[in-house]
Amino acid sequence: MVLAADAVDLARAQTAFSLAFHICFAVFGVGLPWMLIYTQWRWLRTGDPVWLALTKKWSRAFAVLFAVGAVSGTVLSFEFGLLWPAFMSKYGGALGLSFTMEGFAFFAEAIFVGMYLYGWKRLSARAHWLTLWPIAISGTVSTLFIITVNAWMNTPRGIVERGGKVVEEKPLAPFTSPSFLPQISHMLLAALMCAGGTVAAIYAVGMLRGRRDAYHQRGLSIGLAVVLVCAPLQLIAGDWAGRNAGDHQPLKLAAMEGLYHTGSNAPFTLGGIYDDKTGNVRYGVEIPGMLSLLEGFSTRHVITGLDSAPPDERPDGTLVHGAFTVMIVAGSALIGLSLLTGLVVVRRRRRGETPLLPTGRPWLIAAAGTGPAAVLAMLTGWEVTEGGRQPWIVGGHMRVVDAVTGGDGAEPIFAGTLVLYLSLAGALVLILRKMATGGPSGEQLRPGLPSGPSIPGAPRPRDGGDGRGTDPTKPRPEQGGDSDGEDGRSGSKESAPAAAYDPAADPAARHTARADQGGHRPSGAQPVLVPDRRPGEPAPATDPTTTRGAAGTSTPASTPAPASTPAPASTPAPAVPSAGEPAPAGERSASPAIPRPRSEPHSAGTSGGGRPGVSLRRGGPGRYGLFGRRHAGKHALPGRRPDSGAHTAGRNDPGETR
Amino acid sequence: MTAADLLLIVMVIGLTAYALLGGADFGGGVWDLLARGPDARDQRKLISNAIGPVWEANHVWLVFIVVALFSGFPPAYGLVGSSLEIPLSAALVGIVLRGAAYVYRAYGAGAAGPDHWWGHVFAVSSTITPFALGVAGASLATGRMSPDDPMEPLRSSFGLGCGLFAVAATAFLAAVYLCRDAAASPATEHLVPEFRRRATGGAVVCGALAMMLLPLFWDQAPVVAHRFLDRSMPLVGLSVIGGAATLVALARRQFVVARLAAGLAVGAMLWGWAVAQYPDLIVGQVTADSAAAPTTNIHAMLYAVAGGLAIVLPPIIVLYRLFTRPEPTT
């Protein structure tokens, strides 16, 4: 059965590859919506264009990631049948409920993603924000359903087989697997960490290149907050998962640890290469008795080793131990960074220093590493779970070799999958990279303007200083007329979907970037992404314009300023100049002057009193706010800004363009 | 009627939804591929705008069918997976490329190659998918498929004909739907005559293909063909009426009516096939009864499906209502 073994390897490789590909997108489907809920909520509350810019940028990235995740997920649902027909024939019934519910969760997600991505102008601001909730919830819930399947494959429950035939399958079997709870908590935290870490990494790189504006600062803060808050929790969840493996899949634990000999006083081994032949780990760091201590709280606790099973029933210790080590190292680094950052934040807060998050170069480099570290840990963690399950496809019930298809088309299909996925991934990286560079809508910092980075503590000189040349896609702001630079760039950076919400662009023009550029070029001159909060500025413009006009009337009435703002906001160029100025005065007090992004009638009522309270409450640790919002207020530079009102006003559409 | 039968009905409903909604998205890709002349760019924009908000939701119907098949009829799914490897892989490639190319074009801003490249990828893959699914569906009716010979579905003239028919039907649906989209906004109204012409042409092609397929159907899928004659004639009648009504409505510029009628034409055809296929899932190999999962599992599935649809249908309706009108421009 040499050929069969090959087929098994190919099928496994194909499944592993497709799953890894899909997971990398799925984690963003879980994590990003929650983060979007936060940023867009902040925008609704404050009208601050920076929040809108973050929201729009992320929603664009989310659109792409979600679509690729959706189609790659479809491939998986087919692959179960194409590659593992025997598995699906036998156990499809037991897994059906989980998959069905996952299907509906995905359904709900897809529906609301459509509404969210294309509904900026069709929905009221609040309704638009509300569509994020079903997206986030169903994204999370679909992870949960899928994990039930995997947990069941690891530790099946609720089926009765007689003579190789399934005679009874409890419909809820997957939900009763003992691995389910630890696995789902471990995975959800991992998903959040991957999404948060990647976001943090992107903004950290941006800041390392000198873009230390409020936009980058906040993007970094949110991402870091997510990844660093989750990291310590992940320690607990991971420990739970490990214990669970020890209880229900002792061989998996043994493989993770590279432990061959069953016995008490089992060592905890980190690193090294497990040698299949000798049963030893070479070059590893061994802590004697630690594993017994961890698992049973006593060095006398007996840990099952790989020697307890015949060789053909052992997982591959080399692979699983290696993956486990990588996961532990990456995870520990994140946890360490989390604790360190926590300490520094507390200290800075006590001293009253302003951005609570340290943004020195080493910190930024560390932050830039969180994304890759989280993704690496997530992928290797999956390798541990799946590799540790071997040789079973359904633990103790069916072997992987018995589940596979015997077809000889496996090789070309696998090769095709590799080529297809890798080229799609390559293209995607290019696209995301382009999205990630530059400011909210692709425009750059303009150090020349009074409104440089307003985050105190950011080393301003750097603004123009670096990033030079490294990135062809970002023209230097300083050179030439701003408008030139901006124009070219805004054209190149903005992308289509933007146009989808862009009032300036013909609705029909949505899909092409060209059209989009056309729409935006005029507004190119409005560049600066600056300041934290420009309350007077109605950037929010986009959606609710029409309705907001109405709602807005009540607001402007109270203060002189932006009576006209809501409308102009949507059509970038003209009207706006009048807007903006007076308002900056500290949005908190002047809140009524802020054109509320919300359009509902009732919002007008709550806006005045409600907002400040909420924003304070949510501001992070104390009033300083992890995300620096307090300072944003403080540093809004009301005095300096007036003349830049025009810029400001025009600028809001970068927001629109996302 | 057993629980398995009920599940089958639910699956055919899902298949109909996929054909009428997701199918039209693929058909839009076909017209993207065939866009010619000075209006080509406008046409592509119209198509892209029309499918943008809904294609992902429409696509989920396929996932729904697959999941229902492997949960409710696991052995059938195992057999389908191993025997229809080639057409299903082709459909998957089409699905992946279509989705990726669509968002890459929409959001990529040229970062990963010019938009029109992705546009072509989108168009070609949109055409491959319905073709491959048509071939796969035909194999279920002929029963000429086995794990030992994955190429077999591609050697059947009836299968290839069904693939073409599927492409034509999706293109027909898309053209009819697009008439309504184009007419909704003054900016795109000039595209209406073109799509009306295409819708008419699509209807004619579908009719002609159906006629040509009949003898092949009789010859290569005799079992289903006999049942078709016995059971499906009323549905064929409905389909013909739907097709004719579509043409009349198009001529009278009643585009909403045309949409419904076109949906009736294609949907009735699909049900005609489904009714004739029953009780076989794969003719000569697997029947609904023999493949059904244990009843308790199917019951659980049905409850889950009912609950899921109850949750999902209202938002679907909202989604479509939301995007029927052109975007507010102010």
Side-chain angles (χ1 to χ4, degrees):
Chain A
M1 288 299 274
V2 178
L3 197 142
D6 285 348
V8 172
D9 289 342
L10 276 172
R12 284 186 63 193
Q14 167 132 12
T15 309
F17 179 68
S18 331
L19 268 169
F21 187 83
H22 176 67
I23 290 177
C24 288
F25 296 94
V27 290
F28 291 99
V30 177
L32 267 186
W34 292 112
M35 293 159 74
L36 279 169
I37 286 180
Y38 178 76
T39 54
Q40 193 163 353
W41 175 76
R42 291 299 296 269
W43 170 61
L44 287 175
R45 283 283 155 187
T46 63
D48 182 342
V50 174
W51 290 119
L52 178 62
L54 284 171
T55 306
K56 293 223 165 180
K57 178 72 89 179
W58 293 358
S59 67
R60 274 170 56 198
F62 175 65
V64 181
L65 294 168
F66 179 77
V68 180
V71 292
S72 60
T74 309
V75 172
L76 282 177
S77 69
F78 274 91
E79 273 185 357
F80 289 133
L82 293 172
L83 299 172
W84 311 103
F87 165 58
M88 290 314 293
S89 313
K90 196 161 175 189
Y91 298 108
L95 303 176
L97 196 65
S98 292
F99 277 118
T100 308
M101 287 157 87
E102 196 276 340
F104 278 110
F106 174 44
F107 217 145
E109 196 175 3
I111 293 166
F112 284 97
V113 163
M115 289 188 204
Y116 180 75
L117 292 178
Y118 293 85
W120 285 82
K121 285 164 69 187
R122 292 168 191 264
L123 292 164
S124 73
R126 175 182 300 239
H128 185 250
W129 176 69
L130 286 176
T131 59
L132 277 170
W133 283 89
I135 297 174
I137 292 170
S138 50
T140 306
V141 169
S142 60
T143 310
L144 186 146
F145 291 136
I146 286 300
I147 296 290
T148 62
V149 173
N150 186 269
W152 185 84
M153 288 165 67
N154 272 291
T155 50
R157 291 290 183 275
I159 51 168
V160 182
E161 291 188 53
R162 242 171 253 134
K165 257 193 94 76
V166 179
V167 293
E168 190 192 343
E169 320 176 74
K170 295 223 171 65
L172 286 174
F175 293 84
T176 57
S177 164
S179 313
F180 166 53
L181 284 176
Q183 270 203 31
I184 184 64
S185 10
H186 204 40
M187 181 62 217
L188 281 181
L189 285 171
L192 288 173
M193 288 173 70
C194 287
T198 307
V199 166
I202 287 169
Y203 287 103
V205 170
M207 291 177 78
L208 281 169
R209 288 181 175 169
R211 304 204 196 114
R212 291 172 173 257
D213 46 30
Y215 167 77
H216 281 82
Q217 178 87 44
R218 286 188 206 166
L220 174 72
S221 306
I222 294 174
L224 266 190
V226 171
V227 65
L228 297 185
V229 166
C230 290
L233 300 176
Q234 188 68 298
L235 181 65
I236 301 168
D239 176 65
W240 187 14
R243 280 168 201 291
N244 190 272
D247 291 346
H248 300 284
Q249 296 176 283
L251 288 178
K252 177 188 275 185
L253 183 70
M256 281 155 63
E257 287 299 331
L259 181 73
Y260 182 77
H261 302 286
T262 304
S264 59
N265 204 20
F268 184 94
T269 315
L270 195 60
I273 300 163
Y274 174 79
D275 188 334
D276 220 4
K277 301 197 177 62
T278 62
N280 291 323
V281 178
R282 276 180 291 168
Y283 319 120
V285 182
E286 201 168 283
I287 311 172
M290 190 64 182
L291 187 59
S292 289
L293 207 55
L294 280 176
E295 287 293 311
F297 303 107
S298 150
T299 50
R300 284 198 299 272
H301 186 74
V302 175
I303 304 280
T304 310
L306 288 171
D307 63 357
S308 65
D312 67 336
E313 286 189 13
R314 293 176 197 158
D316 180 345
T318 316
L319 193 65
V320 176
H321 179 63
F324 180 69
T325 301
V326 174
M327 178 185 79
I328 290 293
V329 169
S332 309
L334 287 172
I335 293 166
L337 181 65
S338 167
L339 297 180
L340 205 57
T341 311
L343 283 178
V344 172
V345 165
V346 168
R347 207 183 59 175
R348 285 173 76 99
R349 189 174 151 209
R350 248 186 228 138
R351 293 184 182 173
E353 291 176 48
T354 45
L356 284 179
L357 276 178
T359 52
R361 199 173 171 82
W363 287 104
L364 288 180
I365 291 174
T370 54
V375 173
L376 187 68
M378 189 265 297
L379 288 176
T380 46
W382 269 109
E383 179 52 45
V384 170
T385 308
E386 305 303 286
R389 191 191 65 222
Q390 304 301 325
W392 304 99
I393 193 165
V394 178
H397 286 263
M398 183 186 251
R399 281 169 188 268
V400 169
V401 279
D402 300 326
V404 79
T405 178
D408 46 33
E411 273 172 59
I413 288 181
F414 182 45
T417 313
L418 274 179
V419 171
L420 178 65
Y421 274 13
L422 288 181
S423 41
L424 285 181
L428 184 71
V429 167
L430 290 176
I431 289 170
L432 291 178
R433 182 165 166 273
K434 190 162 188 176
M435 269 187 197
T437 47
S441 62
E443 82 289 341
Q444 313 293 304
L445 280 179
R446 311 262 304 279
L449 290 183
S451 44
S454 62
I455 292 285
R460 300 218 26 198
R462 299 197 41 114
D463 293 341
D466 67 357
R468 185 168 315 264
T470 53
D471 180 0
T473 63
K474 70 175 184 190
R476 316 290 318 152
E478 306 93 321
Q479 343 141 324
D482 338 324
S483 53
D484 294 348
E486 292 308 328
D487 279 356
R489 186 170 24 230
S490 66
S492 70
K493 298 242 161 179
E494 284 155 15
S495 62
Y501 332 154
D502 176 14
D506 175 322
R510 266 187 264 176
H511 81 292
T512 42
R514 298 181 289 282
D516 181 35
Q517 297 164 9
H520 285 289
R521 206 151 277 157
S523 58
Q526 38 116 303
V528 196
L529 178 239
V530 195
D532 298 280
R533 102 177 5 213
R534 219 85 78 14
E537 160 181 330
T542 46
D543 12 329
T545 32
T546 41
T547 36
R548 180 163 11 107
T553 47
S554 69
T555 13
S558 59
T559 62
S564 59
T565 42
S570 65
T571 54
V576 193
S578 69
E581 292 85 303
E587 352 94 49
R588 212 146 282 154
S589 55
S591 55
I594 303 168
R596 307 270 90 223
R598 287 167 294 178
S599 53
E600 290 80 353
H602 55 275
S603 71
T606 60
S607 64
R611 183 185 49 93
V614 179
S615 49
L616 284 179
R617 172 161 42 90
R618 267 306 255 140
R623 298 158 44 92
Y624 284 87
L626 185 54
F627 304 148
R629 75 179 298 289
R630 163 77 171 295
H631 305 292
K634 226 155 67 183
H635 296 270
L637 312 175
R640 277 203 254 158
R641 186 60 48 55
D643 53 334
S644 61
H647 294 285
T648 334
R651 189 190 88 55
N652 47 36
D653 47 343
E656 283 164 28
T657 67
R658 290 161 312 128
Chain B
M1 176 183 294
T2 64
D5 293 344
L6 194 57
L7 184 61
L8 274 182
I9 291 175
V10 172
M11 285 169 63
V12 179
I13 292 174
L15 185 64
T16 314
Y18 184 59
L20 299 186
L21 302 169
D25 294 341
F26 287 115
V30 175
W31 294 124
D32 185 301
L33 186 67
L34 298 179
R36 291 283 179 278
D39 282 342
R41 220 183 118 176
D42 289 352
Q43 292 172 12
R44 294 197 166 112
K45 266 185 219 160
L46 178 73
I47 294 164
S48 176
N49 290 345
I51 76 174
V54 293
W55 72 267
E56 282 163 323
N58 293 342
H59 167 76
V60 185
W61 288 110
L62 177 66
V63 179
F64 170 78
I65 299 161
V66 171
V67 168
L69 180 63
F70 75 55
S71 320
F73 307 94
Y77 184 65
L79 195 57
V80 164
S82 47
S83 329
L84 295 179
E85 206 171 35
I86 303 288
L88 290 184
S89 301
L92 281 179
V93 170
I95 286 168
V96 170
L97 280 178
R98 191 275 301 248
Y102 180 81
V103 286
Y104 287 7
R105 180 177 68 176
Y107 294 80
D115 287 342
H116 65 266
W117 289 5
W118 289 114
H120 291 317
V121 174
F122 164 74
V124 172
S125 52
S126 295
T127 313
I128 292 174
T129 308
F131 180 80
L133 291 177
V135 171
S139 303
L140 301 182
T142 60
R144 296 188 187 178
M145 51 190 262
S146 88
D148 305 325
D149 185 5
M151 294 303 288
E152 186 159 4
L154 294 179
R155 283 198 298 268
S156 151
S157 52
F158 176 66
L160 298 178
C162 283
L164 285 181
F165 183 79
V167 175
T170 55
F172 162 68
L173 285 175
V176 175
Y177 295 178
L178 284 167
C179 285
R180 162 77 176 70
D181 287 320
S185 156
T188 52
E189 218 168 354
H190 62 288
L191 300 174
V192 173
E194 182 61 32
F195 279 111
R196 203 158 57 166
R197 209 161 42 241
R198 291 178 172 191
T200 313
V204 172
V205 171
C206 283
L209 273 176
M211 289 301 153
M212 279 161 28
L213 280 174
L214 271 184
L216 296 176
F217 186 31
W218 205 260
D219 179 48
Q220 297 181 24
V223 181
V224 180
H226 274 107
R227 289 192 209 130
F228 192 79
L229 199 61
D230 288 346
R231 306 175 183 168
S232 304
M233 279 305 130
L235 288 163
V236 172
L238 267 185
S239 179
V240 171
I241 292 172
T246 312
L247 296 180
V248 173
L250 283 176
R252 301 170 61 175
R253 296 184 60 90
Q254 293 166 329
F255 296 127
V256 178
V257 178
R259 278 184 169 187
L260 297 175
L264 178 69
V266 176
M269 192 55 99
L270 209 57
W271 278 88
W273 167 50
V275 168
Q277 181 87 9
Y278 185 83
D280 286 309
L281 294 182
I282 303 168
V283 170
Q285 303 192 35
V286 180
T287 64
D289 258 358
S290 70
T295 315
T296 44
N297 296 75
I298 293 191
H299 279 156
M301 282 279 301
L302 285 171
Y303 284 122
V305 167
L309 284 179
I311 292 173
V312 153
L313 280 182
I316 290 184
I317 293 166
V318 173
L319 178 75
Y320 288 123
R321 288 179 61 95
L322 194 60
F323 292 101
T324 34
R325 290 168 197 291
E327 187 157 44
T329 45
T330 48

